[in-house]
Amino acid sequence: MTEFDYLIVGAGFYGSSFARCATDLGRKCLVIDKRHHVAGAAFDTKQEGYYVSEYGAHIFHTNSSKVWSFITQFDTFLPFINRPKVVSEGKMYSFPINLMTLQQLKGVSTPSEAEAYLTKVRVNIPEPANLEEWMLSMVGEELYRKFYYHYTKKQWFKEPSELPMSIAQRIPIRLTYDENYFITKFQGIPSNGYTNLISKMLDGIKVELGASYTRDMSRLAKRVIYTGPIDEYYDFAFGHLDFRTLHFTKEEFNGDKQGNAVVNYVDESPSYIRTIEHMHFYRHGEAIKHYNKKPGESVKSVITYDHPVKFERGMDPFYPIRDKVNSNMYAKYNAIPSGNVVFGGRLGEYKYLDMDQSMASAMATVARLENVSFS
């Protein structure tokens, strides 16, 4: 006799959201994770009065009132607007491309002047087929080469012409001075970090950490919710799906090092693609005390460097590469009759899902399996 209704493999955003929703419906859940902590790649630790993400920056943003209402049950969120900067050829620019960027580069100062410039330089490609063609059709050759080409190659280890345009379509282009990276209604940072938030989400649910999934575990539950890589689950029967991954290094500094939470490096060098100064995410929260130091007192800052590395088995798979070859391979895996196993999350669905999208997908899966509706 099965002990649980659901065995959930993975204590990240998808698995934890699924477990919470199913438990609240009266279902008995067991969550396991091969890591020794919850929250997946959003895992963070408290340092110097603020939270430092161990796997790069995580900024929660969503247009879904349903998702926002759900996640804010578990922590209050500090207001934060992501306004990244980019360094190109030694100079820092406003980003994503907006009126300030075009003023810095071309001297334009009004939306109509900016539109006139872009209209002049855009490449006429009626039906863009990849990332490169999409960007050329939106901003022209010069801006594409300056801000996107080398960064994309450095990040994905592929020519932009080999990548789907959906990657670039996530980045807004504006003719105003709005530097907000995200086009979303809700945006913020959990006051007490993501690890604490997910721990509260899993409150009262049985969780086993440092536990890797094996097939015989399926007997423990009526249904398995699997958030690991789908190709790994099927023992790579059709080959290895490709991912991009990152290596993270950290440094501590006395004083505010870069003056902004996120700075992207868009040239071939340095090898890292961005630097994250974590205290800037919490300027409105507990870490505000760092900005009230007496003259001469040092501010401790932690900066993370994100280094792209070629993905190999055993590394953490972060970003699915949905090019034609990998999409076709995923389709083969997805077509295998899965019995009582449901695949979910960024790795299970082989889809570039943000945190809110993973949560929404989990909630939708619970609603489908339990024949309910979440308001």
Side-chain angles (χ1 to χ4, degrees), residues 131 148-164 166-168 170-171 242-246 271 273-274 307-311 318-323 326 346 350-353:
L131 188 154
Y148 297 94
Y149 177 72
H150 293 296
Y151 181 89
T152 301
K153 282 189 65 176
K154 190 163 61 171
Q155 184 179 29
W156 296 95
F157 292 98
K158 287 180 178 288
E159 286 290 334
S161 59
E162 300 177 71
L163 295 167
S166 58
I167 294 172
R170 299 163 60 90
I171 306 172
D242 201 5
F243 291 86
R244 180 180 69 86
T245 191
L246 295 168
S271 61
I273 58 172
R274 70 178 68 90
H307 305 263
V309 293
K310 285 189 177 294
F311 177 72
F318 288 139
Y319 303 101
I321 300 177
R322 290 295 294 262
D323 57 13
N326 284 286
R346 185 178 286 196
Y350 196 65
K351 187 183 298 183
Y352 193 156
L353 298 174

Side-chain angles (χ1 to χ4, degrees), residues 6 27 43 88-89 107 118 134 163 210 228 238 299 331:
Y6 293 105
R27 302 297 177 251
F43 173 68
S88 174
E89 299 177 335
L118 290 176
W134 168 263
L163 295 167
F238 301 118
V299 177

Side-chain angles (χ1 to χ4, degrees), residues 11 23 29 38 52 93 97 103 109 114 150 161 189 199 211 221 245 248 266 292 302 305 310 324 337:
T23 299
C29 297
V38 299
V52 175
Y93 296 92
I97 289 176
Q103 187 178 70
S109 57
H150 293 296
S161 59
I189 301 290
S199 295
T245 191
F248 304 97
V266 297
N292 295 324
V302 179
Y305 299 80
K310 285 189 177 294
K324 186 175 181 179

Side-chain angles (χ1 to χ4, degrees), residues 13-293:
F13 271 88
Y14 185 101
S16 300
S17 298
F18 186 101
R20 180 75 270 155
C21 291
T23 299
D24 289 348
L25 291 172
R27 302 297 177 251
K28 192 174 182 182
C29 297
L30 168 63
V31 178
I32 67 170
D33 200 299
K34 66 180 181 181
R35 289 178 165 135
H36 292 274
H37 59 75
V38 299
F43 173 68
D44 51 21
T45 58
K46 194 173 186 179
Q47 301 177 38
E48 299 297 327
Y50 51 88
Y51 293 87
V52 175
S53 297
E54 295 300 307
Y55 303 95
H58 290 80
I59 302 159
F60 195 87
H61 58 98
T62 186
N63 276 319
S64 170
S65 298
K66 180 168 61 177
V67 169
W68 184 250
S69 177
F70 176 75
I71 197 171
T72 51
Q73 296 177 81
F74 310 107
D75 201 359
T76 55
F77 274 66
L78 302 174
F80 177 80
I81 300 298
N82 187 25
R83 298 183 177 93
K85 301 295 179 280
V86 299
V87 175
S88 174
E89 299 177 335
K91 294 182 179 180
M92 188 169 287
Y93 296 92
S94 178
F95 199 80
I97 289 176
N98 63 82
L99 190 52
M100 177 60 75
T101 321
L102 296 174
Q103 187 178 70
Q104 289 174 300
L105 281 169
K106 299 299 174 183
V108 302
S109 57
T110 66
S112 59
E113 290 175 349
E115 178 58 39
Y117 167 75
L118 290 176
T119 299
K120 180 181 177 181
V121 300
R122 286 176 183 134
V123 179
N124 183 23
I125 306 176
E127 296 184 9
N130 53 59
L131 188 154
E132 179 169 274
E133 291 184 355
W134 168 263
M135 291 312 312
L136 289 172
S137 71
M138 296 300 293
V139 300
E141 181 78 24
E142 182 181 353
L143 294 181
Y144 165 65
R145 292 286 170 182
K146 187 171 188 64
F147 292 122
Y148 297 94
Y149 177 72
H150 293 296
Y151 181 89
T152 301
K153 282 189 65 176
K154 190 163 61 171
Q155 184 179 29
W156 296 95
F157 292 98
K158 287 180 178 288
E159 286 290 334
S161 59
E162 300 177 71
L163 295 167
M165 60 185 177
S166 58
I167 294 172
Q169 289 171 323
R170 299 163 60 90
I171 306 172
I173 298 166
R174 300 193 179 98
L175 302 185
T176 67
Y177 289 105
D178 181 4
E179 298 177 292
N180 187 354
Y181 190 80
F182 300 117
I183 311 171
T184 52
K185 184 178 180 181
F186 306 102
Q187 184 176 166
I189 301 290
S191 301
N192 299 292
Y194 287 102
T195 305
N196 176 77
L197 184 151
I198 294 296
S199 295
K200 287 189 172 182
M201 193 181 292
L202 292 170
D203 187 40
I205 300 169
K206 185 175 178 59
V207 178
E208 294 183 2
L209 300 176
S212 296
Y213 175 77
T214 58
R215 297 294 178 87
D216 63 345
M217 288 182 178
S218 62
R219 60 183 171 78
L220 297 174
K222 297 174 184 176
R223 197 179 294 271
V224 175
I225 308 300
Y226 189 85
T227 71
I230 189 172
D231 59 339
E232 183 178 291
Y233 180 87
Y234 288 118
D235 299 320
F236 312 107
F238 301 118
H240 295 260
L241 290 169
D242 201 5
F243 291 86
R244 180 180 69 86
T245 191
L246 295 168
H247 171 65
F248 304 97
T249 58
K250 286 189 291 192
E251 281 190 274
E252 291 188 6
F253 296 90
N254 288 321
D256 188 340
K257 174 68 174 177
Q258 64 185 30
N260 200 58
V262 182
V263 176
N264 295 330
Y265 291 80
V266 297
D267 298 324
E268 286 185 271
S269 61
S271 61
Y272 48 85
I273 58 172
R274 70 178 68 90
T275 53
I276 309 298
E277 191 160 24
H278 298 270
M279 69 179 181
H280 288 287
F281 294 122
Y282 293 91
R283 293 188 68 166
H284 301 286
E286 183 182 352
I288 194 68
K289 66 186 180 184
H290 291 285
Y291 297 87
N292 295 324
K293 296 278 188 179

